[in-house]
Amino acid sequence: MAKSEVPESEGVSGGVKSDCDTRRGSILRRRSSSVGGLFDDSSLERDIPAVDMVSGSGSKDFVAAAAKSGEEDKDRVKVDNADVNAKREKVVDVSALKFLYRPSVPVHRSVRESPLSSDNIFQQSHAGLLNLCIVVLVAVNSRLIIENLMKYGLLIKYGFWFSSKSLRDWPLFMCCLTLALFPIASYLVEILAQRKKLSEPVIISLHIFITSAAVLYPVVVILRCDSAFLSGGTLMLLACIVWLKLVSYAHTNSDLRALSKSIEKGEELPNNLKMDYPYTVSFKSLVYFMVAPTLCYQPSYPRTPSIRKGWVFRQVVKLIIFTGVMGFIIEQYINPIVQNSQHPLKGNLLYAIERVLKLSVPNLYVWLCMFYCFFHLWFNILAELLRFGDREFYKDWWNAQTVEEYWRMWNMPVHKWMVRHLYFPCLRHGIPKGVAVLISFFVSAVFHELCIAVPCHMFKLWAFIGIMFQVPLVLITNYLQNKYANSMVGNMVFWFIFSILGQPMCVLLYYHDLMNRNKGID
């Protein structure tokens, strides 16, 4: 009997220990119902000792303890698992708090950073703060909308966007249609080059003439016609796009032609240089390239399998809504402020700063809406209709910590064109890297000036100076980023310059001069 009592006592003690471990381990599952969800935090799971964690063997130990507690009938040991679980949960309900955070259990177990510390801020979700910013913006702007309507009334007009007094915009529309002649001319030059009817210097000269005419012809038409700003700006933007596309078309075909000649001569090409596409001049590929949302030519592009018609419809609706928002902000907010203010660079300094700050906020809203409409909605709609596969039209430029990062991420079609057809060709011709960067900014400044100054019929060089001013800002923000590594100093400097002293400032200067010019004409 003595021998038989030892296993029995061991079984009882083992059952008690198993019952204790099971009840202590079940706290994680029961704490929300036991204490009203007060400790419902996933971080607490890391604070519970490993011996208190429930495992798959806990349930088995509980059943085994029940089987060894003096049950002689084996048929009664085979109880239903549901009944066993119900009894176990009932026990836990009674004594759950006894094993939750005993005073002797350590609370602080590891080194941790605060959520808003510099080392941990980018690893946390800030969705709540983003919602707070949205709520604040809605509240503040709602007040401004009501105040503006009470002060000025509804100021929506169409004269700024379209000319209705005459047909002076028709020459611009006809010029826009005739822009298709320049790609056809470039195609004919490439056909003759493929058939070896023209020498390389003649080919280059013809392409220079065609691309130059594609820009100068619209400039002359816009300056000779007193058209609306939107009409002139649209035509000038299309002319610049055609120029960039034709340069890429001529440059790419010239390179393909050179590689084809090298292969015909039996020359060995480097391992990193190969012809991804054969040298063929196709009118179909040129037409697709001219309407595709890219500025870099290649004979074929990655394509998507089908067109999502419902998705396209939703994007078109968004495009219409945000375009209307842009027009409303310009007519209702920017126009009254500009018309009732002096020139930012003339008059009282404090008054000028106040006007610039007041104008910068609605101007920033317009610029962000323009970016969303043009780079996201319009480019994706066009890509979907053409089944264009590569839709990296922008990157997360809003997280840029330097001005250089911003220019590399916010407009990917132009950036890829600059790298492919301007920056690296300069490096291959022995031009230093710094000079190549300066040349890239100079070309960008010229086209920014054309797209703004020509439709405004005013050459004040504000846009040109603003873009060239980015060069020292690149050096300054790079220095700050290197000095204050892993910080947001560069990003804050970028946003301040972008919102107040960068592109918005140049646009505000031109807009102010344009409105004063129209007021003087009236």
Side-chain angles (χ1 to χ4, degrees), residues 36-49:
L38 181 61
F39 300 101
D40 190 11
D41 190 349
S42 60
S43 63
L44 298 181
E45 186 175 350
R46 298 192 300 267
D47 298 332
I48 302 299

Side-chain angles (χ1 to χ4, degrees), residues 13 41 52 80 95 98 108-109 149 159 173 189 193 215 244 254 276 279 281 330 342-343 357 386 415 442 479:
S13 62
D41 190 349
D52 295 336
D80 199 8
S95 60
K98 294 182 180 180
H108 308 285
R109 295 178 175 274
L149 291 175
F173 179 72
V189 172
V215 173
L244 294 171
S254 176
D276 295 325
Y279 173 58
V281 180
I330 291 176
Q342 299 176 355
H343 196 278
L357 292 175
L386 297 174
H415 171 70
F442 177 81
Y479 169 77

Side-chain angles (χ1 to χ4, degrees), residues 379-443:
F379 276 4
N380 276 285
I381 290 172
L382 192 60
E384 186 70 21
L385 294 177
L386 297 174
R387 295 170 50 211
F388 188 82
D390 187 2
R391 303 184 183 182
E392 190 185 44
F393 305 123
Y394 58 91
K395 294 183 179 179
D396 57 334
W397 56 267
W398 45 88
N399 293 325
Q401 298 184 358
T402 63
V403 175
E404 181 183 7
E405 288 184 4
Y406 163 73
W407 286 108
R408 284 192 286 105
M409 295 190 297
W410 97 276
N411 189 342
M412 293 305 296
V414 172
H415 171 70
K416 293 175 182 178
W417 186 95
M418 287 284 185
V419 170
R420 189 190 196 200
H421 300 290
L422 188 61
Y423 180 74
F424 278 106
C426 289
L427 296 182
R428 284 194 291 268
H429 283 80
I431 298 176
K433 180 179 178 180
V435 179
V437 172
L438 189 62
I439 293 174
S440 300
F441 273 102
F442 177 81
V443 174

Side-chain angles (χ1 to χ4, degrees), residues 160-438:
F160 176 81
W161 300 101
F162 301 101
S163 299
S164 59
K165 298 180 180 180
S166 64
L167 298 178
R168 56 191 178 185
D169 286 343
W170 280 102
L172 274 66
F173 179 72
M174 299 304 298
C175 179
C176 182
L177 295 179
T178 55
L179 286 177
L181 298 177
F182 297 100
I184 295 176
S186 296
Y187 170 75
L188 295 177
V189 172
E190 287 300 324
I191 284 291
L192 296 176
Q194 185 183 29
R195 298 177 181 177
K196 300 180 180 180
K197 302 292 185 179
L198 301 174
S199 61
E200 197 66 28
V202 175
I203 296 173
I204 296 175
S205 300
L206 290 175
H207 278 304
I208 291 176
F209 174 79
I210 294 171
T211 53
S212 301
V215 173
L216 296 179
Y217 169 54
V219 170
V220 173
V221 174
I222 293 174
L223 294 179
R224 291 179 63 89
C225 300
D226 188 15
S227 60
F229 173 79
L230 182 62
S231 301
T234 302
L235 177 58
M236 202 65 239
L237 180 62
L238 290 176
C240 292
I241 292 174
V242 170
W243 186 89
L244 294 171
K245 285 178 175 285
L246 292 182
V247 169
S248 178
Y249 181 72
H251 198 182
T252 303
N253 280 319
S254 176
D255 190 51
L256 290 175
R257 192 162 50 248
L259 291 176
S260 179
K261 291 179 180 178
S262 299
I263 295 176
E264 290 177 359
K265 293 179 181 179
E267 298 179 0
E268 291 290 338
L269 298 178
N271 294 330
N272 59 347
L273 181 62
K274 62 179 181 178
M275 292 189 65
D276 295 325
Y277 312 99
Y279 173 58
T280 56
V281 180
S282 171
F283 185 74
K284 182 179 179 180
S285 63
L286 174 61
V287 172
Y288 184 85
F289 167 62
M290 294 306 298
V291 296
T294 180
L295 299 175
C296 296
Y297 172 75
Q298 57 192 57
S300 63
Y301 297 91
R303 307 287 292 275
T304 56
S306 61
I307 299 175
R308 298 170 293 178
K309 298 180 180 179
W311 183 88
V312 171
F313 176 77
R314 291 192 297 270
Q315 305 309 308
V316 171
V317 173
K318 292 180 183 178
L319 182 62
I320 295 173
I321 294 175
F322 279 93
T323 303
V325 170
M326 281 194 296
F328 177 79
I329 295 176
I330 291 176
E331 293 287 348
Q332 193 69 31
Y333 292 96
I334 296 182
N335 278 359
I337 297 175
V338 173
Q339 292 176 355
N340 298 329
S341 64
Q342 299 176 355
H343 196 278
L345 302 181
K346 301 177 183 179
N348 185 272
L349 179 61
L350 292 179
Y351 180 79
I353 294 175
E354 187 272 338
R355 290 288 95 179
V356 170
L357 292 175
K358 190 172 184 178
L359 285 170
S360 63
V361 176
N363 187 84
L364 180 60
Y365 290 161
V366 171
W367 198 92
L368 293 176
C369 288
M370 181 276 299
F371 167 80
Y372 183 72
C373 289
F374 191 70
F375 286 92
H376 181 73
L377 296 177
W378 172 244
F379 276 4
N380 276 285
I381 290 172
L382 192 60
E384 186 70 21
L385 294 177
L386 297 174
R387 295 170 50 211
F388 188 82
D390 187 2
R391 303 184 183 182
E392 190 185 44
F393 305 123
Y394 58 91
K395 294 183 179 179
D396 57 334
W397 56 267
W398 45 88
N399 293 325
Q401 298 184 358
T402 63
V403 175
E404 181 183 7
E405 288 184 4
Y406 163 73
W407 286 108
R408 284 192 286 105
M409 295 190 297
W410 97 276
N411 189 342
M412 293 305 296
V414 172
H415 171 70
K416 293 175 182 178
W417 186 95
M418 287 284 185
V419 170
R420 189 190 196 200
H421 300 290
L422 188 61
Y423 180 74
F424 278 106
C426 289
L427 296 182
R428 284 194 291 268
H429 283 80
I431 298 176
K433 180 179 178 180
V435 179
V437 172
L438 189 62

